[in-house]
């Protein structure tokens, strides 16, 4: 019985189904996208690994929402990207959210584990 309670206590809360209801990741300083970060996604699209239609003006914008579980001590426990039919970019965005949050989270009123949402926007000319 005690072992079961310990296992349940160690399990993170399930990923919410309604991501629009999640508060934004509480960054202390907003992350800045750089041309180098956008270039990776541009390369994935150019290589045909992502089904992103070519815009008429050549200006691409790809958005990836990432549900992010932050524990009571302010550590990212889990990132879950929303599927956009491009697994490499989804995982890249999830990794960026974790990296942007490292040492860059504002104090939160809640002391427990909580889910938040981050939206990474890749923007480049193809």
């Amino acid at each position: 019985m005690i072992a079961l309670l310990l296992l349940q206590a160690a399990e993170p809360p399930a990923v919410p189904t309604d991501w629009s209801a999640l508060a934004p990741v509480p960054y202390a300083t907003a992350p800045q996208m750089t041309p180098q970060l956008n270039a990776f996604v541009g390369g994935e699209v150019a290589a045909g690994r992502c089904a992103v239609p070519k815009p008429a003006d050549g200006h691409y914008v790809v958005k990836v929402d990432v549900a992010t579980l932050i524990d009571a001590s302010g550590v990212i426990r889990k990132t879950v990207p929303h599927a956009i039919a491009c697994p490499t970019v989804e995982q890249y965005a999830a990794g960026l959210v974790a990296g942007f949050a490292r040492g860059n989270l504002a104090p939160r009123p809640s002391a427990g584990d909580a889910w938040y949402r981050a939206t990474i926007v890749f923007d480049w000319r193809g």
Side-chain angles (χ1 to χ4, degrees):
M1 180 65 150
I2 292 174
L4 178 60
L5 290 174
L6 289 174
L7 280 174
Q8 288 175 338
E11 289 182 31
V15 179
T17 54
D18 181 8
W19 289 18
S20 67
L22 297 176
V25 170
Y27 293 117
T29 303
Q32 299 299 311
M33 295 300 290
T34 65
Q36 294 82 6
L37 297 176
N38 290 318
F40 171 79
V41 178
E44 291 297 293
V45 170
R49 289 187 281 272
C50 296
V52 176
K54 182 172 175 118
D57 65 357
H59 182 204
Y60 288 87
V61 176
V62 174
K63 295 180 183 181
V64 183
D65 286 327
V66 180
T68 306
L69 181 63
I70 301 174
D71 74 10
S73 63
V75 173
I76 300 289
R77 291 193 57 205
K78 191 173 192 176
T79 56
V80 180
H82 188 266
I84 61 164
C86 186
T88 57
V89 171
E90 295 162 17
Q91 291 305 309
Y92 183 60
L96 287 176
V97 169
F100 290 153
R102 195 171 296 115
N104 185 32
L105 293 177
R108 298 175 299 128
S110 168
D113 294 359
W115 284 99
Y116 294 86
R117 178 183 39 81
T119 300
I120 301 292
V121 179
F122 301 101
D123 187 337
W124 75 98
R125 290 214 166 270

